[in-house]
Amino acid sequence: MKKNKVTLLLVLTMIISLLAGCAGANNGSNTNSGTNSGSANTPEADEQPAKGGKTTVQFWHSLGGKNGEYMDALIKTFNETHSDIEVVGTFQGNYDETVTKLQQAVAANTAPDVSMLERAYVQMFADSEVLEDLTPFLESSSLSADDFTAGLMGHSTFNDKLVSLPLNRSTPILHVNKSMLDEKGLAVPTTWEEMNQVANALVIQENGEFKRYGFTMPYDTWYPIAMISQAGGKFFNDDNTSIGFADNGVGEKVFNQLKKLQSTGALYYPPAQDSGNITNQMFVEGKVAMMYQSTGSIGGLTEAVDFDYVTAFLPKDEVFANPTGGANVAMMSGSKNKEAAWEFIRWMETDPQGGLQFILKSGYLPFTNKMVESAEIKALWEKEPNRKVAYDQLQYAVDTNKAVAWPEVMHEFFSAIEAIMYDSKDVKSTLDTFKKEADRILAQ
Amino acid sequence: MDKQSRWAQLRPYMMIAPAMAGILAFVIYPILYLIYLSFFKYNLMNKDKSKFIGLDNFTQIFTRADFYKALSNTMIYTASVVLLTMFISLLIAVWLNKKSKINVIVQAGIFTPHIISIVSISLVWLWLMEPNLGFLNYVLKTLGLPPSQWLQSSKTALLSVIIVSVWQGIGYYVLIIVAALQSISPSIYEAAALDNASKWKVFYKITLPIISPQLFFILVIMTIGSFKVFDTVQVMTGGGPNNATNTIVYYIYGFRTTNIGYSAATGVVLMAIIGLLTFVYFRLLSKKVHYQ
């Protein structure tokens, strides 16, 4: 009997020490979070003012590859110039992955102080009241929302609160293989009508197989939305109760135009998986003459192509119009170091050593008026006029998919795009189904 | 001694307590929480904004066309993968049953896909199946056959995913069946040989019944596993084109950021379906399975 109790005691001690061991291991892994590895750092452990009263600011971003290196360089410069703040940048995967992680981190109270947020998700986060209103911070630094590029502020405000600021922003643009067009004596199209003619004229077909297509676009909601606003429609109607392109026939016009082009090989619509890389590759190899694609690809394409490569505004229908994309930066309202977090955001947004350097290297759009007027940007545009076109197009920037429920509606819109573009389902009935789903989601 | 007998009664519970604590924390609690979530339009980041909506999520599931599309895709996928894998594995296992050097090498070769990450496999097949430059279409063209669009057409996409899953799964199941075959006592076969039993009859009357527990095991775990297919779909098609390869688990995943309550409700439905399937299997097949 005694023996049993001893055993029990032993077992209990073991369990407890095991549990303690787990906890210990956790603390251990937090101490090395100073390095910018992909590991999930728990900010709480770093919040205690560590060595020499330094405040640690956790910053999550979605920039990998070359752009990730540029972001690391930015963070490094910040840390070198600020003795009292240590910013820890963590790459959290692509935009969607970052959003998923951020949602979970907020729920678990382990969210970072500052995060990059794909602009279309800003409303969803703001609606959950987890983003800090930046207006007082701006005022304290004698800045105002007018200091930022107006075309990029579309997703920054929510219920009169300024909840995010533009960071790595881009917009869709027309990339053109000018050599190919010159060969046939064609001019860069500026309207849908010209697009029809030029794209069709560039098609090469042999034995029923297309050797060359007119133009292409990645699988995304971005480009149909651009065309919807070009044709005078809006993605959501003004009071966000329904979509704004079904009843006025704009949706049908857009998709019929795409289907017509697709049927003659004037448009190549790529498979969904990895579509961005596929279209870029085809453009570089000369298998397609023109491409709707993000301004973010200008840098990479300039290096890769061996032909005369120019950019142009997306062709207009009724009007020139284009949505914007990329990500904003936001402060999480759960942050315990808001002053330090703001100092980082302020420095990144406005300091000539901060965001400007990142923009110059990466090719994203300049986002403050000062930046646009800076000598460095002027010199860059002189050298690479393709990038200036991207900025100039912002005068027509219009974001009509601004709603808390956008991510959910987007899901349905993708289904509609797939049904029409891949399975040639009837445009009208597909859009009717989509409208019904969108209305239901918006009514919730 | 009253105290002692109570201890004797309590002791087994104390002994399994650590294991039960784990199961409670990591199995029972998550399941209950899943069911709880399924009744809400849940806001992960701000609980105060969650809305109790009763059975609305479930009504929505059962009125949406894309759920039925995902369900039927999953059923077709499961049925095809289970039947094809079972049949081919059994065939290869019977062939490899005789111990020879060649057979050992072949068996190792067939098993190899199982130890490779399914993500790598999916990526390699993604290239093989590329319609313009892929190897498979090259072979088809050289043989004078019409090329296929493979993953890029909604007609062939599901079939393509099935091919990859079967190819990857066979090795493991061959191994299990070969082990089962080799555990059959030779004396039974000798007795059959004395009776001049035909090869087919030996297989049908002796081999199959004796390895039936293993086959039953494979059937159950493969059905459950196939019902939960995710990785191949995620890497190769993303559920497309036009939902042609959207399976239930991928469907659940699709709503992860936007509507976690709806995801949870679909998860509950999936749990019910798998539970039901397993129950049916045990009722119908357990009688036919021969345990020694």
Side-chain angles (χ1 to χ4, degrees):
Chain A
M1 183 57 238
K2 262 246 157 78
K3 218 173 163 190
N4 278 331
K5 274 190 184 152
V6 172
T7 329
L8 184 72
L9 261 177
L10 267 176
V11 169
L12 276 176
T13 353
M14 264 169 65
I15 293 170
I16 290 163
S17 62
L18 254 176
L19 287 175
C22 291
N26 264 340
N27 291 336
S29 71
N30 279 332
T31 51
N32 63 1
S33 57
T35 53
N36 179 23
S37 63
S39 67
N41 301 317
T42 6
E44 277 158 339
D46 299 287
E47 266 160 19
Q48 319 130 3
K51 30 189 171 162
K54 261 196 182 186
T55 321
T56 307
V57 172
Q58 294 288 337
F59 172 51
W60 285 6
H61 64 80
S62 317
L63 297 170
K66 272 269 173 273
N67 287 335
E69 287 169 27
Y70 303 147
M71 184 44 84
D72 288 345
L74 179 141
I75 294 168
K76 195 158 160 264
T77 322
F78 178 85
N79 287 336
E80 280 164 3
T81 50
H82 290 75
S83 52
D84 53 339
I85 304 171
E86 169 92 16
V87 171
V88 179
T90 312
F91 171 62
Q92 293 288 8
N94 65 28
Y95 292 142
D96 289 348
E97 285 163 4
T98 307
V99 163
T100 311
K101 285 184 190 173
L102 200 56
Q103 279 182 314
Q104 290 160 356
V106 169
N109 257 330
T110 55
D113 303 288
V114 180
S115 182
M116 184 182 273
L117 206 50
E118 207 274 338
R119 42 96 220 184
Y121 287 108
V122 170
Q123 311 299 314
M124 191 178 89
F125 277 83
D127 180 59
S128 299
E129 295 164 3
V130 297
L131 301 184
E132 185 76 13
D133 183 6
L134 296 175
T135 320
F137 291 101
L138 272 179
E139 279 165 7
S140 72
S141 307
S142 32
L143 291 165
S144 90
D146 301 330
D147 295 330
F148 296 87
T149 306
L152 297 176
M153 294 296 277
H155 284 88
S156 286
T157 47
F158 182 81
N159 290 349
D160 299 323
K161 285 185 192 156
L162 186 75
V163 288
S164 71
L165 289 170
L167 181 58
N168 52 320
R169 298 298 297 271
S170 53
T171 149
I173 198 170
L174 180 67
H175 303 253
V176 184
N177 183 336
K178 190 80 172 28
S179 314
M180 221 173 251
L181 267 69
D182 287 345
E183 225 169 79
K184 297 232 169 195
L186 298 162
V188 176
T190 57
T191 65
W192 284 16
E193 211 27 67
E194 289 171 27
M195 189 68 184
N196 280 349
Q197 291 159 8
V198 174
N200 273 306
L202 287 159
V203 176
I204 298 178
Q205 198 176 7
E206 277 170 26
N207 310 326
E209 257 181 85
F210 290 108
K211 294 283 175 205
R212 186 169 85 191
Y213 296 89
F215 86 114
T216 185
M217 60 178 70
Y219 161 81
D220 202 291
T221 55
W222 224 20
Y223 309 97
I225 290 177
M227 293 177 73
I228 286 167
S229 41
Q230 285 153 14
K234 289 184 168 174
F235 190 84
F236 289 127
N237 64 11
D238 288 324
D239 39 4
N240 272 354
T241 51
S242 178
I243 55 172
F245 60 93
D247 300 331
N248 50 15
V250 168
E252 274 180 77
K253 185 176 178 189
V254 167
F255 282 103
N256 284 331
Q257 156 90 350
L258 288 173
K259 284 313 279 185
K260 198 173 81 190
L261 290 168
Q262 193 185 27
S263 65
T264 56
L267 167 68
Y268 172 73
Y269 203 78
Q273 292 298 82
D274 210 21
S275 67
N277 284 329
I278 294 172
T279 47
N280 283 351
Q281 196 57 35
M282 288 180 67
F283 183 71
V284 169
E285 286 170 6
K287 286 187 176 155
V288 64
M290 293 174 289
M291 167 169 75
Y292 286 8
Q293 171 66 291
S294 164
T295 49
S297 341
I298 293 179
L301 290 174
T302 310
E303 270 178 43
V305 298
D306 51 4
F307 47 78
D308 185 10
Y309 160 57
V310 299
T311 56
F313 291 179
L314 292 181
K316 67 169 187 172
D317 182 43
E318 310 265 313
V319 288
F320 281 111
N322 59 276
T324 67
N328 282 359
V329 61
M331 193 194 297
M332 308 305 291
S333 41
S335 163
K336 295 196 180 72
N337 308 309
K338 286 184 183 137
E339 286 305 321
W342 169 249
E343 172 55 18
F344 174 58
I345 295 179
R346 185 201 64 78
W347 182 88
M348 181 160 62
E349 293 283 318
T350 60
D351 196 283
Q353 290 309 307
L356 177 60
Q357 302 303 318
F358 173 74
I359 296 299
L360 286 173
K361 286 187 267 187
S362 65
Y364 284 106
L365 295 167
F367 49 74
T368 66
N369 297 333
K370 280 225 177 73
M371 222 180 247
V372 174
E373 287 153 15
S374 70
E376 287 96 328
I377 290 282
K378 289 244 157 69
L380 178 79
W381 284 351
E382 191 70 37
K383 207 174 87 202
E384 291 184 41
N386 280 346
R387 291 200 176 165
K388 183 163 191 317
V389 177
Y391 177 79
D392 289 346
Q393 197 190 215
L394 278 181
Q395 59 184 300
Y396 302 115
V398 52
D399 283 306
T400 57
N401 57 338
K402 221 182 105 170
V404 175
W406 156 251
E408 208 174 343
V409 175
M410 174 183 77
H411 194 82
E412 307 296 333
F413 191 43
F414 267 126
S415 303
I417 293 176
E418 289 193 22
I420 294 171
M421 296 313 291
Y422 295 137
D423 281 358
S424 300
K425 292 274 189 273
D426 179 60
V427 172
K428 185 162 180 356
S429 64
T430 308
L431 289 178
D432 284 346
T433 319
F434 167 64
K435 181 176 185 293
K436 220 178 71 203
E437 285 300 323
D439 288 355
R440 178 185 61 75
I441 292 167
L442 289 166
Q444 278 173 353
Chain B
M1 281 262 271
D2 191 32
K3 218 175 164 189
Q4 200 164 348
S5 69
R6 183 179 297 166
W7 169 242
Q9 266 181 344
L10 258 172
R11 188 171 49 194
Y13 296 102
M14 292 305 284
M15 290 298 176
I16 59 162
M20 281 313 289
I23 291 177
L24 273 175
F26 297 111
V27 180
I28 309 290
Y29 172 70
I31 289 179
L32 292 179
Y33 198 64
L34 181 82
I35 296 171
Y36 168 80
L37 281 182
S38 68
F39 296 121
F40 284 86
K41 170 133 185 91
Y42 198 76
N43 190 322
L44 195 59
M45 294 186 289
N46 192 339
K47 284 203 175 96
D48 303 336
K49 296 220 160 200
S50 301
K51 243 189 325 194
F52 180 80
I53 50 168
L55 292 172
D56 278 12
N57 280 329
F58 292 94
T59 359
Q60 213 198 101
I61 290 174
F62 292 114
T63 48
R64 279 180 70 130
D66 54 359
F67 171 75
Y68 289 104
K69 178 79 184 157
L71 184 64
S72 75
N73 281 340
T74 313
M75 299 239 182
I76 296 170
Y77 173 87
T78 304
S80 323
V81 168
V82 170
L83 290 178
L84 279 173
T85 314
M86 280 277 249
F87 180 72
I88 300 175
S89 305
L90 193 60
L91 217 65
I92 297 178
V94 171
W95 170 47
L96 290 177
N97 191 20
K98 283 201 193 84
K99 269 200 174 146
S100 73
K101 265 209 176 116
I102 294 266
N103 282 358
V104 172
I105 294 170
V106 173
Q107 202 184 326
I110 291 177
F111 187 70
T112 315
H114 184 73
I115 60 172
I116 303 172
S117 147
I118 184 79
V119 175
S120 319
I121 288 177
S122 306
L123 278 175
V124 170
W125 277 90
L126 197 61
W127 291 333
L128 290 176
M129 287 172 166
E130 212 283 323
N132 298 316
L133 312 157
F135 179 73
L136 292 189
N137 270 358
Y138 170 77
V139 171
L140 286 179
K141 274 185 212 160
T142 358
L143 293 174
L145 295 165
S148 165
Q149 283 293 305
W150 299 109
L151 293 161
Q152 297 186 14
S153 148
S154 34
K155 292 191 191 75
T156 50
L158 189 58
L159 176 74
S160 311
V161 176
I162 291 171
I163 292 175
V164 177
S165 299
V166 171
W167 180 82
Q168 201 250 352
I170 284 175
Y172 178 67
Y173 298 109
V174 166
L175 201 75
I176 294 182
I177 300 176
V178 166
L181 288 175
Q182 284 171 355
S183 69
I184 301 175
S185 152
S187 57
I188 303 177
Y189 286 122
E190 281 159 18
L194 283 178
D195 287 342
N196 258 342
S198 72
K199 265 199 171 157
W200 170 245
K201 223 168 192 171
V202 169
F203 177 75
Y204 187 67
K205 293 269 185 193
I206 297 175
T207 314
L208 221 45
I210 294 183
I211 63 166
S212 59
Q214 283 85 354
L215 292 181
F216 182 61
F217 166 76
I218 292 176
L219 187 70
V220 173
I221 61 160
M222 205 159 40
T223 309
I224 296 174
S226 304
F227 236 93
K228 297 192 291 189
V229 58
F230 175 79
D231 20 29
T232 32
V233 172
Q234 157 80 350
V235 177
M236 295 174 75
T237 64
N242 193 17
N243 282 334
T245 54
N246 201 354
T247 58
I248 299 224
V249 177
Y250 196 77
Y251 185 77
I252 294 173
Y253 175 75
F255 289 95
R256 72 197 176 284
T257 34
T258 53
N259 196 344
I260 203 155
Y262 185 77
S263 278
T266 323
V268 171
V269 173
L270 175 66
M271 197 165 71
I273 294 174
I274 293 186
L276 193 74
L277 259 179
T278 317
F279 179 73
V280 168
Y281 269 164
F282 272 94
R283 285 304 285 272
L284 283 183
L285 291 174
S286 57
K287 282 180 199 133
K288 297 236 166 82
V289 175
H290 170 93
Y291 292 102
Q292 277 169 310

